[in-house]
Amino acid sequence: MTENEIISYITEYGVKAKKAANILATASAGVKNQVLANAAKLLIENTDKIIAENTIDVENAAANGMSVPMQDRLRLTPDRIKGMAEGLTQLIALDDPIGTIIEGYKRPNGLEIIKKRVPLGVIGIIFEARPNVTADAAGLCIKSGNACILRGGKEALRSNMAVASVFAEALEDAGLPRDCVQLLDNTDREIATAMMRLNKYIDVLIPRGGAGLIRAVVNNASVPVIQTGTGNCHVYIDNEANKEMAVSVIMNAKTQRPSVCNAAETLLVNAEIAESFLPVIAKELATKKVELRCCDKTYTVLSKLFLDTTVIEASHEDWDTEYDDLILAIKVVSDYKEAVEHINNHGTGHSEAIITDNYNKAKYFQENVDAACVYVNASTRFTDGFEFGFGAEIGISNQKLHTRGPMGLMELTTIKYVINGNGQIRQ
């Protein structure tokens, strides 16, 4: 496509989205909930069709060398589609934030000032091989009164189109424009770049994917961006930890779904328990074939064992790496304060955890770790809109403006001041 053709292509989406957003912004909670109910029902009814399209995507991705963990992100199953539908059903049960009066007051000159919650407008979402994002994003945007333009990765195009078609039908059945949810049918990089600069029509851009995608969006976008996703997450095992709990949490945080952003990438172990604890956790991790990348102390301990997995010395880069794979960096630290220092130097501000029975250490950790979500005695895998009771999430923000952590309905709104007077003029 020529530059003019690219601009024309993406502008058409923007014009339609802006028009649809104006209608959706004033839709009642009942109508929006009807759309979500229709979409949840249609997802279940169209499970076989969606999986058939997804199977083609997965087969093509495997043939093109996509890693097994990334294939897992791409793959849809009946249970995952059911989960997508359940997320929409949860959204129905949540209060509609739009129109909520945050505060109101009267000035000495008689002006009545009301601060209320309104939609952001048009949200652009660029994401990789996660077709469930299509459903999560569409559902959240509809409930919060925002139109959305979705650009998924080429690996998931068939899957995304199948899911997006469900929302188009659900919107139409409820009397709302199909253009409230639009999926780009062209995944060329030039199209994505043009979308990042569609300031006239897109109010905010949200990238969901790996560090490379997020960096590309931040570097190229002129539309305001909310950064999400990059997760170099840590679990610190204190010398006063319950060891059985520690093993359970680490195994869950690392191996349940290693390809997601809230999976643990680095394990920090207190030096007092390193000799006894490292062999125990290493043997458990070896049952899942987790490759271990070790600091000098860890390597000295683990290299003596016969483990059915790879044990190598860590490079400096390993402490800053989001693997999205069955790989775990392990470092011995002197105490909880050194653990906090390491996390603040190498973490991405996503999710961090401490396992300890000491209240004061737990409090220090939660107060001093600079991250969106800080856990005591629990897996980092809970950093998720569904698990937080948001019904779904549009992403996990690890920046500080305008939101942080799992982004649900409230995070997809802004404010408007409505002022009522009776002829006041400023002197």
Side-chain angles (χ1 to χ4, degrees), residues 167-405:
F167 284 89
E169 183 176 345
L171 284 159
E172 194 167 61
D173 288 347
L176 290 173
R178 297 168 67 96
D179 296 330
C180 291
V181 176
Q182 296 184 86
L183 175 76
L184 302 188
D185 58 11
N186 187 320
T187 59
D188 288 352
R189 184 172 299 178
E190 293 79 6
I191 297 290
T193 301
M195 178 180 172
M196 298 175 202
R197 298 168 183 167
L198 204 63
N199 295 64
K200 185 176 179 180
Y201 302 104
I202 296 178
D203 295 285
V204 65
L205 198 60
I206 303 173
R208 284 195 61 172
L213 170 67
I214 295 168
R215 186 166 50 249
V217 173
V218 171
N219 290 341
N220 287 287
S222 54
V223 174
V225 176
I226 299 176
Q227 298 182 49
T228 70
T230 306
N232 183 18
C233 305
H234 300 71
V235 178
Y236 165 64
I237 311 303
D238 185 51
N239 60 315
E240 296 183 74
N242 178 309
K243 306 306 186 296
E244 291 184 4
M245 178 194 293
V247 170
S248 175
V249 168
I250 294 164
M251 293 301 292
N252 180 263
K254 178 68 261 183
T255 70
Q256 190 204 30
R257 286 194 73 186
S259 63
V260 293
C261 62
N262 55 27
E265 304 291 17
T266 300
L267 170 63
L268 303 174
V269 178
N270 186 284
E272 288 187 25
I273 61 169
E275 293 279 353
S276 60
F277 183 74
L278 285 171
V280 174
I281 189 59
K283 288 174 183 176
E284 286 295 318
L285 290 164
T287 66
K288 298 291 187 179
K289 307 294 184 184
V290 178
E291 178 181 310
L292 307 178
R293 300 189 180 182
C294 312
C295 71
D296 292 342
K297 174 66 174 178
T298 303
Y299 186 76
T300 298
V301 174
L302 298 187
S303 61
K304 300 173 185 177
L305 306 177
F306 294 99
L307 297 173
D308 189 20
T309 191
T310 301
V311 178
I312 61 175
E313 294 180 87
S315 68
H316 181 73
E317 289 74 22
D318 282 309
W319 310 125
D320 299 297
T321 300
E322 181 185 21
Y323 299 111
D324 291 332
D325 204 344
L326 288 171
I327 303 172
L328 183 67
I330 307 179
K331 181 179 178 65
V332 175
V333 293
S334 59
D335 60 12
Y336 63 101
K337 290 185 177 180
E338 185 183 343
V340 169
E341 183 179 1
H342 178 94
I343 289 167
N344 287 341
N345 285 335
H346 299 281
T348 53
H350 195 293
S351 302
E352 313 294 354
I354 181 175
I355 311 301
T356 186
D357 288 336
N358 185 301
Y359 170 80
N360 289 327
K361 291 179 182 178
K363 184 179 179 182
Y364 179 92
F365 190 89
Q366 286 191 314
E367 289 181 349
N368 287 276
V369 166
D370 186 12
C373 301
V374 186
Y375 294 84
V376 172
N377 296 333
S379 170
T380 57
R381 286 283 290 113
F382 286 101
T383 303
D384 177 272
F386 191 89
E387 295 292 342
F388 276 28
F390 299 163
E393 69 180 36
I394 208 155
I396 299 167
S397 171
N398 53 2
Q399 65 181 50
K400 298 179 182 179
L401 294 174
H402 88 113
T403 185
R404 199 179 195 193

Side-chain angles (χ1 to χ4, degrees), residues 108-123:
N109 63 3
L111 284 179
E112 295 177 346
I113 300 177
I114 297 171
K115 184 180 180 182
K116 63 187 293 187
R117 200 166 291 282
V118 296
L120 288 167
V122 177
I123 299 176

Side-chain angles (χ1 to χ4, degrees), residues 15-94:
V15 170
K16 291 179 179 178
K18 184 66 77 174
K19 183 177 180 180
N22 292 335
I23 297 171
L24 184 58
T26 58
S28 69
V31 170
K32 291 185 289 187
N33 286 340
Q34 182 185 344
V35 176
L36 298 178
N38 291 346
K41 179 172 177 286
L42 288 168
L43 281 172
I44 300 301
E45 290 178 355
N46 288 275
T47 293
D48 290 344
K49 175 186 174 183
I50 295 169
I51 288 179
E53 294 297 302
N54 178 252
T55 298
I56 297 172
D57 282 338
V58 174
E59 289 175 350
N60 289 338
N64 289 326
M66 178 183 280
S67 69
V68 172
M70 291 303 293
Q71 289 180 47
D72 177 62
R73 280 193 174 200
L74 173 59
R75 183 174 290 105
L76 291 176
T77 66
D79 281 346
R80 288 183 181 179
I81 293 174
K82 184 179 178 181
M84 289 156 60
E86 288 175 353
L88 298 177
T89 302
Q90 281 195 1
L91 282 175
I92 294 171
L94 298 178

